[in-house]
Amino acid sequence: MAARARRDRRGWSPARVSWREWLGLGAALLAVVSLLLPWTRLSAADPAVSAALAELPAGDVSRSVWRGTFFAWLAPMLVVLAGVAVVVAGQRPALRRSGLPHLWLVAAAVAACSVVFAWVFADWQFGAEQRAFLADSGVAVQAALGRYLGAAAVLVSLVAAVCDVRAEGPVSRGRSRKRAGAR
């Protein structure tokens, strides 16, 4: 009976995945969806310029994350990697004690910084001449649905990682007691 219980604990089971880890996987799925949607779009207040934009190919007016800066696609990719890692490896006690929740928190924090940089440098996906032309024409580079969903995925992952670290407690708690007893 005890051998069977040990065997059941060794394998991966969806029943043993915590709600925080499911939330991390949900953030990863949201990040994947955001990678498939447009991240920036061009718009203009002037009706003539807006009509000219409407005649352009959709790929020139709405741009995917892959045509953006490094910071744009780094954040969702980190969320995807972290979300899958915590669900797959989160049931191994040795990995959790070694700092998997803390690694997830670091990845989510880096992704959050990347989202901020991607938002600040959103128009850098265009060259200097293109940016000057767009500004002179009255065309604005705006965030599209993919960017908002990517930012939401990062936020959900960050909140879930913070909750997971708080639930796990300090990594060195057991080690410090052993050292104190050895003295």
Side-chain angles (χ1 to χ4, degrees), residues 21 24-28 78-88 104 157:
E21 294 166 342
L25 184 63
L78 281 174
V79 169
V80 169
L81 290 174
V84 170
V86 296
V87 168
V88 171
W104 180 15
S157 181

Side-chain angles (χ1 to χ4, degrees), residues 92-127:
R92 296 185 174 201
L95 289 176
R96 291 199 62 81
R97 283 190 307 270
S98 296
L100 181 65
H102 296 84
L103 183 62
W104 180 15
L105 180 61
V106 168
V110 169
C113 291
S114 178
V115 163
V116 170
F117 286 141
W119 219 289
V120 169
F121 301 122
D123 61 343
W124 282 29
Q125 62 186 310
F126 301 101

Side-chain angles (χ1 to χ4, degrees), residues 11 25 30 47 56 67-68 111 124 126 135 138 142 150 152:
L25 184 63
L30 187 61
L56 291 174
R67 292 181 69 188
W124 282 29
F126 301 101
Q142 296 179 334

Side-chain angles (χ1 to χ4, degrees), residues 174-183:
R175 294 182 198 144
S176 63
R177 287 184 187 153
K178 289 178 185 176
R179 288 185 195 142
R183 289 183 192 166

Side-chain angles (χ1 to χ4, degrees), residues 1 7 16 29 32 34 38 43 52 58 66 70 73 82 85 99 103 107 126 149 178-179 181:
M1 188 75 160
R7 207 172 337 118
R16 290 196 315 263
L29 293 175
V32 168
S34 78
S43 65
W66 307 112
F70 166 75
W73 58 263
L103 183 62
F126 301 101
L149 288 180
K178 289 178 185 176
R179 288 185 195 142

Side-chain angles (χ1 to χ4, degrees), residues 6-94:
R6 267 184 272 144
R7 207 172 337 118
D8 290 343
R9 278 187 260 147
R10 279 189 208 153
W12 185 86
S13 170
R16 290 196 315 263
V17 177
S18 73
W19 65 269
R20 298 173 303 276
E21 294 166 342
W22 282 122
L23 201 56
L25 184 63
L29 293 175
L30 187 61
V32 168
V33 169
S34 78
L35 289 171
L36 303 174
L37 296 172
W39 274 60
T40 57
R41 64 188 154 107
L42 302 177
S43 65
D46 183 15
V49 176
S50 184
L53 287 174
E55 293 176 10
L56 291 174
D60 290 342
V61 177
S62 296
R63 291 200 166 195
S64 72
V65 68
W66 307 112
R67 292 181 69 188
T69 63
F70 166 75
F71 295 116
W73 58 263
L74 175 66
M77 294 303 288
L78 281 174
V79 169
V80 169
L81 290 174
V84 170
V86 296
V87 168
V88 171
Q91 293 182 11
R92 296 185 174 201

